[in-house]
Amino acid sequence: MKANETKLQQIIEGIKQYLVPLFQRPYSWDKSQWESLWVDINELCGASNPRAHFMGSIVTLPTESVPEGVSKYLLIDGQQRLTTVFILLALLRDTLEKQGDGESVELAHEINENLLINKWKKGLDHYKMLPTQTDRDSFIKIMDKAPLGKEDHITKAYKFFERKVKSVDDKARLKTIISNYLSIVSIVLDSDDNPHLVFQSLNGTGTPLTQSDFFRNYFFMRIHTDRHEEVYSELWQPMQVMLGDSLTEFVRHYLMRNGIVIRKNEVFSHLKEVISNGEALEELKRLKRFAEYYHKIIRPDNENVSAIRKKLQRLNRIESTTCYPFLLNCYEDFRMGLLDELAFVEILKTVENFLIRRFVCNVPTDRLKGIFPSLYNQAKLNPSPLSESVKKVLETKGYPTDIEFRHGLTTAKFYGAGDRAKKTKLILETIEESYKHKEQVSFEKMNLSIEHIMPQTLTAEWEEHLGEEGKAEYPVYLHSLGNLTLTAYNSELANDSFYAKKKMLGDSHLEINKYFNDKDCWTIKEIEERTQSLADLILKIWPFFGYESSTENIHDVSGLLPRSLEIVGQKIAVRSWIDVLENTLNVIADLDPERFQQLASDSPKLIGPDKSQFNEFRVLKNGMFIEVQLSAAAIRRYCIHAVESIDLTAENWIIKMKEEPEYTMGYLF
């Protein structure tokens, strides 16, 4: 980047042209800016020893696409002030010509040929500046001394200054002031500079350009100006209209499809590298083609194949943006006939299966960022069909086994902050669909929501219904899978008794709610039984697609005695599950006191400052009391919930049993 302060005449004389990116925002200065500039110029004209007046800066980037002899610069910043100066100089030229005397006409020709046009160049190269598409017609009419056209900011500026210039007696001095006393900092970028960052640093008060503006500008400065209109209308504009605000993110995913992970602030530099290594127009055609795929991925209603459309709609509900680079490659194969409809649908099912299992097992989603960009290339190395190769690769990327999946289904918190409820609703709807009811429910028409059978706020009737042990374990099981269902009567059910809820759910058209018909009560025992029942169904809906799995049930830890707890690097000897609970909560309270207080607030029947509220208790190091009249399974579930609340995962909570197998967050290894 080169920056220097210079006079206006020095930057516009010579055979050169300043190109305002063709489809950037139009000229928008109005009377307030024109008046301010004119006041400054008028003061300089009246001063006996005028000093240079700083107008601001212009940022340009030399183009590389046109070798006809006109030095062309993409005007990244400063188009408003530079356009205004050109209008003012053209008006001064016209006014001098109308005066008719030889000296005035000679000065008018000097302005025209040195400052406004490239005299011997033809077509658009004839002009030293080319504004946006919107402004170009009016601007060229002024440069060509033709009658003014439509009323826009360009023509309004000309008419505003027309009155001002006529009132100036010494027009030669006015020309000198404009060309030699208006000072500008000219910043010329190198090809390695990021104009987006430069613009942001210089243009804090204007309307900043978006990354997509720079993508567009960078393409068009490498395409001959004679083709700009055609290329814009056929390629760029349809893509811009189609994707709107999603365009920048699309370009990021498009570039990532080749196997690299690109951060959001790196997109422009990567795109620049791709364009500089290839033919800009061909790359833009390819980008447009992939934009059509992306449009279908983010808005599946635009996909005509119903089976593919339905699978994409499901993926969008589990917010699967990390897999978009991979799906772009699959869409390209589908369009080219390398992948048939059945294979494409199978791949989409596989991706959903992978994401659902990891969600249930609470695998951090940030790890997905490194999986999907390279998935296509890794799968293509395998001689098997793509739909099978994808399964083989994903199986090695932290894909939960049936043991791990069942553990997640029976212990995970399925309702809470973030997008957990949205994904859980999809799981419950999929269970409903799996019953193959002859009259399938239209989820789009029904306003279904998730209902807690055991409510989120316990009434006195519910406390009596659950009993003392149930009240203590209530926080552990509240958001478990077995306590959740779907209903259109969420507000009506609220905190009603189980018997009232059972009656209303009995009238439901949903098969999933027929489960409650023969239940006489709803306690922790019933919740655990339903959780296992739903887990059995879910294991069939999203079956393990790998080659080594087991359905061994590890949810029951009764009879298993722990001997040590390892948590965030600390190894603690324990003799009972109560020891596990106490030490786990002590570590959490020490690591993150604020999250611990939130746990206490969410679980007043388990943690609190008043020992009288508990049946049996222990005292933590911070003075808080905990309920210990809990089953081994309930303690295990709650410890998992507590550890996950401070963003720890399986590797951070390990229990070793006296029988020797290692028990990690409920997983057996």
Side-chain angles (χ1 to χ4, degrees), residues 83-103:
T83 303
T84 305
V85 168
F86 271 100
I87 293 170
L88 186 50
L89 285 170
L91 177 57
L92 180 56
R93 173 203 63 188
D94 296 346
T95 305
L96 286 165
E97 283 188 348
K98 289 176 183 177
Q99 288 185 182
D101 61 274
E103 187 175 332

Side-chain angles (χ1 to χ4, degrees), residues 116-342:
L116 297 178
I117 64 169
N118 297 312
K119 183 176 180 180
W120 306 108
K121 300 301 176 182
K122 305 296 183 182
L124 295 178
D125 288 347
H126 183 64
Y127 307 99
K128 286 188 180 292
M129 182 176 181
L130 283 178
T132 63
Q133 183 187 38
T134 304
D135 300 323
R136 189 165 295 177
D137 182 62
S138 295
F139 184 83
I140 288 177
K141 277 183 167 63
I142 290 173
M143 294 301 113
D144 289 345
K145 297 178 279 189
L148 296 179
K150 62 182 179 180
E151 183 85 350
D152 56 18
H153 281 276
I154 295 283
T155 58
K156 287 179 181 178
Y158 185 90
K159 291 176 181 178
F160 173 86
F161 287 115
E162 188 174 27
R163 297 188 295 272
K164 302 293 186 181
V165 171
K166 283 181 180 178
S167 66
V168 175
D169 295 328
D170 191 348
K171 295 180 175 59
R173 180 167 176 76
L174 177 58
K175 183 266 177 187
T176 300
I177 292 297
I178 294 172
S179 58
N180 293 319
Y181 286 90
L182 292 183
S183 174
I184 279 183
V185 170
S186 174
I187 301 172
V188 182
L189 303 181
D190 297 321
S191 58
D192 294 333
D193 291 327
N194 187 335
H196 179 65
L197 298 179
V198 174
F199 186 92
Q200 283 185 323
S201 65
L202 293 174
N203 199 46
T205 59
T207 302
L209 297 180
T210 64
Q211 284 229 45
S212 63
D213 290 327
F214 283 99
F215 301 158
R216 178 197 60 224
N217 296 346
Y218 200 76
F219 271 112
F220 279 97
M221 78 180 192
R222 280 165 171 72
I223 297 171
H224 196 289
T225 54
D226 290 348
R227 299 201 64 184
H228 279 189
E229 298 279 356
E230 168 200 352
V231 172
Y232 176 76
S233 61
E234 293 181 4
L235 298 176
W236 187 269
Q237 187 181 39
M239 187 165 59
Q240 181 80 62
V241 171
M242 191 163 47
L243 298 182
D245 293 338
S246 301
L247 181 57
T248 298
E249 192 66 357
F250 154 64
V251 174
R252 186 169 77 94
H253 288 142
Y254 168 80
L255 295 171
M256 287 172 63
R257 81 193 194 285
N258 292 320
I260 55 175
V261 177
I262 300 174
R263 291 191 289 269
K264 291 185 178 181
N265 63 346
E266 299 173 339
V267 181
F268 182 75
S269 60
H270 280 275
L271 181 65
K272 235 176 29 167
E273 184 178 338
V274 169
I275 297 172
S276 63
N277 292 335
E279 212 283 313
L281 184 55
E282 289 305 310
E283 188 62 37
L284 186 55
K285 289 178 181 177
R286 187 179 301 110
L287 193 71
K288 164 66 163 48
R289 186 169 75 248
F290 276 83
E292 293 171 357
Y293 309 152
Y294 197 79
H295 190 222
K296 294 178 179 180
I297 292 171
I298 64 174
R299 299 184 183 93
D301 288 347
N302 295 290
E303 172 54 64
N304 294 325
V305 181
S306 61
I308 296 174
R309 180 173 62 248
K310 183 175 181 180
K311 291 301 176 186
L312 289 174
Q313 287 170 336
R314 291 176 61 84
L315 282 178
N316 282 341
R317 290 183 63 186
I318 56 178
E319 298 182 7
S320 54
T321 57
T322 50
C323 70
Y324 288 178
F326 167 70
L327 295 183
L328 286 172
N329 284 322
C330 293
Y331 246 118
E332 174 78 340
D333 281 3
F334 180 60
R335 174 169 174 163
M336 298 300 174
L338 302 175
L339 196 66
D340 62 27
E341 178 185 334
L342 290 177

Side-chain angles (χ1 to χ4, degrees), residues 50-84:
R51 293 184 176 183
H53 174 74
F54 178 62
M55 282 188 68
S57 60
I58 65 167
V59 182
T60 59
L61 183 66
T63 68
E64 303 170 2
S65 62
V66 189
E68 292 101 336
V70 177
S71 298
K72 299 198 175 189
Y73 298 87
L74 198 67
L75 189 54
I76 302 298
D77 185 31
Q79 68 140 317
Q80 304 290 332
R81 59 182 65 92
L82 202 56
T83 303
T84 305

Side-chain angles (χ1 to χ4, degrees), residues 452-471:
H452 290 73
I453 308 303
M454 182 175 65
Q456 295 190 71
T457 302
L458 286 183
T459 62
E461 186 175 2
W462 264 104
E463 288 187 356
E464 182 180 352
H465 184 89
L466 290 171
E468 289 301 316
E469 185 175 344
K471 282 193 297 179

Side-chain angles (χ1 to χ4, degrees), residues 333-395:
D333 281 3
F334 180 60
R335 174 169 174 163
M336 298 300 174
L338 302 175
L339 196 66
D340 62 27
E341 178 185 334
L342 290 177
F344 195 5
V345 169
E346 184 63 24
I347 288 172
L348 295 173
K349 286 172 60 179
T350 298
V351 171
E352 178 188 311
N353 182 309
F354 181 78
L355 295 175
I356 286 288
R357 279 180 169 244
R358 285 171 64 98
F359 158 69
V360 168
C361 294
N362 204 40
V363 182
T365 56
D366 59 353
R367 299 179 188 176
L368 295 171
K369 296 175 183 176
I371 293 175
F372 283 104
S374 59
L375 175 59
Y376 179 82
N377 290 336
Q378 290 177 358
K380 292 296 267 186
L381 294 174
N382 195 299
S384 303
L386 185 63
S387 57
E388 291 304 310
S389 297
V390 166
K391 293 176 183 178
K392 291 177 181 178
V393 175
L394 287 180
E395 186 188 2

